[in-house]
């Protein structure tokens, strides 16, 4: 057996064990008994110890030094394995296990603190998570910027300074468009009590229409919707709000975008580094284009309006135009996951700058809630009412995902580029969407992005799909101006 074959056989077992670890985390969020939290933390910590030992196994260095790639896919496997191995060997095993145990515990603490609107109850464990993440960032950076090192784990090759420049370029246009909309009379949301069973029935239908394969996946409920797993076991969650069915429906479409990316990767690459989405930014491009450019389009809203009336009867909206405007209404609000397309990136910018300051030591946990509230008031023009609407609304910091937030906006940028290229290739797309048939669009994405997995770098993946055009903010800003300029004319 060649060095390459030995390396890939070892890697396949590691990937299979990582799937088991992922199932432990999925179960913790969906079905685990509440009293099992401490025991689950130990189980997750033990699994992380096993995985870290495999990812730092001394044989890996030898295999990587002598392995010869048989083809383009093999070269990508080696590139990704070298990247991951270099990161793994920089982090001590006891630190990796401690982080896994602590973040599993911290997730439960966060959920209880969020329910109680009590940041003080969460602050001590967040302080510990931050301490360990600073250690991890410093180990990974090897003298460089710890935040960049953490960011690299989610978006390989990205740098915080570059993202900050991107955000600074985007902010003026977003703020101006938002202000124009918010100066207009605010459109009312849907009004009513929407049956939970009806919401879940429609959510499953939408998931199938967008290409989700239920023979290799499932939908469950969670506090914070997420996608988990990959390949032949890609699961999603959603949540129910009785007075806001869009929360369930669009969360479902969003997570289906993530899951379809994983399900769409060439099966030959399952249980290998190439058999995953190449980065969280590219992953987010799939969820955002499914949710927004497709799911919130005027054409698809024509279909969705009819289906909602079929299931719920009178939904308090007079006609299709009003329904489309309600789906896409710009509104004051505190919650990132419920934000409209224009303001969403402003929510991300807030989190990016706060977490960067936390990792750098320029902001301490004890001052985080006040810093959040002050920044939110400055950016959005109104105060935060309670912690669950502010600093406690997201699960990410509790589970140690520092460096993750900016990939949401990067995904929006990528989605804007992909949407522009897709529309050029599919001139009849709106006719299909109006019938509730997004298959041409999701097929285009599967062919041009999803099936390739990690074959190419993130930026190259997007550029190839867009006919060689490098990712840029222009297509996203143009799309937002056209769409929301029509909804909120000057």
């Amino acid at each position: 057996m060649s060095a390459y074959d030995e390396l890939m056989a070892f890697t396949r077992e590691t990937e299979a064990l990582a799937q088991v670890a992922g199932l432990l985390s999925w179960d913790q969020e969906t079905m685990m008994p509440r009293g099992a939290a401490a025991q689950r933390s130990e189980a997750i910590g033990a699994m992380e110890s096993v995985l870290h030992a495999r990812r730092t196994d001394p044989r890996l260095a030898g295999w990587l030094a002598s392995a010869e790639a048989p083809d383009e896919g093999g070269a990508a496997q080696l590139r990704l394995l070298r990247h991951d191995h270099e990161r793994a060997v920089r982090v001590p095993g006891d630190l990796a296990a401690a982080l896994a145990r602590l973040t599993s515990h911290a997730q439960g603490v966060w959920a209880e603190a969020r329910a109680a609107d009590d940041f003080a109850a969460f602050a001590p464990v967040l302080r510990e998570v931050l301490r360990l993440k600073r250690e991890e960032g410093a180990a990974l950076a090897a003298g460089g910027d710890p935040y960049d090192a953490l960011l690299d784990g989610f978006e390989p090759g990205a740098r915080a300074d570059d993202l900050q420049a991107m955000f600074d370029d985007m902010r003026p246009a977003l703020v101006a468009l938002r202000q124009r909309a918010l100066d207009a009379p605010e459109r009312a949301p849907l009004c009513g009590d929407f049956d939970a069973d009806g919401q879940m029935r429609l959510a499953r239908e939408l998931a199938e229409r967008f290409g989700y394969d239920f023979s290799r996946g499932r939908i469950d409920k969670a506090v914070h919707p997420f996608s988990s797993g990959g390949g032949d076991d890609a699961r999603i969650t959603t949540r129910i709000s009785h007075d806001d069915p869009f929360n369930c429906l669009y969360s479902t479409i969003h997570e289906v975008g993530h899951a379809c990316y994983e399900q769409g990767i060439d099966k030959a690459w399952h249980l290998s580094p190439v058999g995953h989405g190449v980065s969280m930014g590219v992953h987010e491009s799939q969820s955002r284009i499914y949710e927004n450019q497709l799911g919130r389009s005027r054409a698809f809203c024509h279909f969705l309006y009819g289906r909602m009336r079929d299931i719920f009867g009178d939904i308090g909206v007079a006609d299709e135009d009003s329904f489309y405007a309600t789906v896409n209404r710009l509104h004051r609000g505190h919650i990132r996951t419920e934000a409209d397309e224009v303001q969403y990136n402003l929510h991300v910018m807030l989190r990016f700058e706060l977490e960067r300051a936390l990792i750098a030591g320029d902001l301490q946990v004890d001052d985080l809630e006040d810093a959040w509230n002050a920044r939110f008031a400055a950016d959005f023009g109104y105060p935060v009412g309670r912690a669950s609407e502010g600093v406690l609304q997201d699960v990410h910091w509790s589970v140690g995902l520092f460096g993750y937030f900016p990939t949401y906006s990067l995904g929006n940028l990528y989605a804007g580029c992909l949407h522009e290229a897709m529309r050029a290739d599919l001139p009849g797309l709106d006719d299909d969407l109006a019938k509730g048939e997004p298959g041409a669009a999701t097929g285009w994405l599967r062919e041009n992005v999803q099936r390739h997995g990690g074959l190419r770098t993130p930026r190259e993946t997007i550029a190839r799909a867009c006919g060689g055009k490098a990712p840029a903010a222009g297509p996203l800003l143009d799309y937002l101006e056209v769409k929301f300029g029509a909804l909120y004319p000057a």
Side-chain angles (χ1 to χ4, degrees):
M1 185 180 289
S2 70
Y4 178 84
D5 289 337
E6 289 182 342
L7 172 63
M8 294 311 298
F10 182 86
T11 298
R12 185 177 180 83
E13 291 184 353
T14 304
E15 291 280 341
L17 288 169
Q19 289 281 326
V20 175
L23 287 171
L24 288 175
S25 297
W26 168 84
D27 177 71
Q28 181 178 13
E29 283 292 288
T30 56
M31 297 185 179
M32 185 189 78
R34 184 175 178 182
Q39 183 171 306
R40 182 56 52 87
S41 296
E42 290 299 317
I44 288 175
M47 281 298 300
E48 182 56 37
S49 292
V50 171
L51 286 167
H52 189 270
R54 292 185 67 87
R55 289 164 178 157
T56 58
D57 190 299
R59 290 175 293 177
L60 286 171
W63 284 328
L64 287 168
S66 54
E68 295 183 4
D71 50 28
E72 181 188 19
Q77 302 281 22
L78 293 178
R79 169 176 56 81
L80 294 170
L81 281 166
R82 289 191 181 100
H83 175 266
D84 292 346
H85 182 252
E86 288 171 3
R87 288 178 61 85
V89 297
R90 291 176 180 172
V91 179
D94 57 353
L95 174 58
L99 264 168
R101 284 192 296 270
L102 178 62
T103 53
S104 175
H105 167 67
Q107 190 170 3
V109 176
W110 162 80
E112 292 184 0
R114 181 177 181 270
D117 279 309
D118 185 2
F119 178 71
F122 177 56
V125 73
L126 177 60
R127 197 176 297 116
E128 281 301 297
V129 171
L130 179 60
R131 180 179 65 81
L132 294 185
K133 292 303 293 186
R134 284 171 174 165
E135 286 186 29
E136 182 187 36
L140 290 168
D145 184 340
Y147 187 83
D148 278 350
L150 296 173
L151 172 63
D152 185 72
F154 303 108
E155 194 68 20
R159 295 293 178 265
D161 284 344
D162 295 335
L163 295 179
Q164 186 67 66
M166 177 188 80
F167 291 157
D168 290 344
D169 287 343
M170 293 172 64
R171 190 191 299 267
L174 295 175
V175 169
L177 189 53
R178 178 193 69 181
Q179 195 57 48
R180 185 200 313 170
L182 294 184
D183 285 344
E186 185 169 346
R187 293 190 174 97
L190 291 185
C191 183
D193 187 354
F194 296 86
D195 175 70
D197 289 341
Q199 290 190 44
M200 288 302 295
R201 188 164 69 252
L202 183 53
R204 288 184 64 88
E205 177 187 334
L206 293 175
E208 289 179 333
R209 286 181 176 276
F210 276 88
Y212 185 53
D213 182 354
F214 274 99
S215 73
R216 300 188 289 150
R218 55 182 288 144
I219 296 181
D220 295 276
K221 298 175 188 175
V223 174
H224 195 295
F226 66 94
S227 176
S228 176
D232 289 332
D233 190 351
R235 309 181 183 199
I236 66 171
T237 67
T238 191
R239 61 185 172 199
I240 298 293
S241 173
H242 284 276
D243 62 353
D244 181 12
F246 293 152
N247 197 315
C248 171
L249 302 180
Y250 283 104
S251 290
T252 299
I253 295 173
H254 180 99
E255 299 306 335
V256 163
H258 283 302
C260 283
Y261 188 1
E262 293 294 323
Q263 290 182 339
I265 295 171
D266 191 320
K267 289 195 173 191
W269 291 331
H270 284 187
L271 295 178
S272 78
V274 173
H276 300 287
V278 65
S279 74
M280 288 317 304
V282 177
H283 237 301
E284 194 65 17
S285 76
Q286 302 306 283
S287 61
R288 295 298 280 179
I289 199 170
Y290 274 50
E291 176 190 358
N292 293 326
Q293 282 91 342
L294 300 178
R296 296 182 192 271
S297 66
R298 180 178 289 276
F300 193 76
C301 283
H302 166 82
F303 164 79
L304 185 59
Y305 177 66
R307 288 299 294 129
M308 289 189 68
R309 285 169 61 89
D310 291 341
I311 292 173
F312 301 112
D314 182 8
I315 60 174
V317 178
D319 53 45
E320 290 180 12
D321 286 343
S322 298
F323 180 80
Y324 171 67
T326 300
V327 166
N328 291 286
R329 72 188 189 98
L330 266 71
H331 57 281
R332 291 169 174 81
H334 299 89
I335 307 301
R336 174 185 60 85
T337 56
E338 299 171 9
D340 54 74
E341 292 179 73
V342 173
Q343 298 185 89
Y344 184 89
N345 291 305
L346 299 174
H347 286 270
V348 173
M349 293 173 193
L350 180 152
R351 290 154 175 77
F352 165 65
E353 292 173 13
L354 290 178
E355 72 174 13
R356 197 178 177 193
L358 284 169
I359 294 297
D362 298 331
L363 176 63
Q364 302 304 316
V365 169
D366 289 344
D367 301 318
L368 176 59
E369 184 171 24
D370 287 342
W372 179 295
N373 293 347
R375 174 62 188 271
F376 188 91
D379 281 1
F380 290 87
Y382 45 92
V384 174
R386 55 184 188 272
S388 59
E389 294 182 336
V391 70
L392 287 179
Q393 69 178 267
D394 294 300
V395 69
H396 300 60
W397 291 337
S398 73
V399 294
L401 297 180
F402 289 85
Y404 192 114
F405 276 122
T407 66
Y408 286 126
S409 282
L410 196 54
N412 283 333
L413 183 149
Y414 290 160
C417 299
L418 293 170
H419 180 243
E420 181 181 68
M422 176 198 296
R423 286 283 180 180
D425 286 351
L426 302 176
L429 178 57
D430 281 335
D431 291 338
D432 293 336
L433 293 175
K435 300 172 188 173
E437 299 173 0
T442 57
W444 188 94
L445 290 166
R446 186 164 51 252
E447 175 63 26
N448 288 283
V449 178
Q450 295 168 4
R451 73 180 181 90
H452 304 292
L455 183 64
R456 306 180 181 105
T457 67
R459 290 181 64 84
E460 185 182 4
T461 296
I462 300 301
R464 288 266 192 127
C466 296
K469 293 176 64 175
L476 174 64
L477 295 176
D478 289 346
Y479 155 77
L480 293 174
E481 179 60 40
V482 168
K483 178 176 184 176
F484 291 94
L487 284 166
Y488 296 93

